């Protein structure tokens, strides 16, 4: 017969606070990292692949970063 290795486990009694903190941190890192990556890629594409130039690309990249920060900010959640 197979032996049970989880004999001390009782359903619903596991402490999950650390798991929740880790998952929340992962989601925040993914969210903000995606915003920064999108702003950087937009800046580089506009700078090198269009006649926009450095200043125009920088302005658009900063605007996207600011708007994204406002949209993704957790302060505005209801």
């Amino acid at each position: 017969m197979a032996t049970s290795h989880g004999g001390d486990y009782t359903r619903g009694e596991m402490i999950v606070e650390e798991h929740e903190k880790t998952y929340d941190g992962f989601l925040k890192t993914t969210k903000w990292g995606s915003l920064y990556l999108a702003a950087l890629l937009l800046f580089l594409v506009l700078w090198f692949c269009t006649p926009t130039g450095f200043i125009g690309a920088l302005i658009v990249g900063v605007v996207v970063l600011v708007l994204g920060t406002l949209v993704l900010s957790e302060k505005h959640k209801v």
Side-chain angles (χ1 to χ4, degrees), residues 10-71:
T10 304
R11 184 179 177 102
E13 293 183 4
M14 186 172 150
I15 300 171
V16 295
E17 284 81 19
E18 289 297 320
H19 296 280
E20 291 173 349
K21 288 179 188 177
T22 302
Y23 185 68
D24 187 47
F26 172 76
L27 289 180
K28 287 180 182 179
T29 302
T30 303
K31 176 175 70 173
W32 292 109
S34 297
L35 173 63
Y36 296 141
L37 184 61
L40 177 66
L41 286 174
L42 180 63
F43 165 71
L44 291 173
V45 166
L46 289 176
W47 184 16
F48 290 113
C49 299
T50 66
T52 306
F54 177 77
I55 299 298
L58 183 64
I59 291 170
V60 172
V62 169
V63 167
V64 167
L65 195 59
V66 169
L67 289 176
T69 300
L70 291 175
V71 169

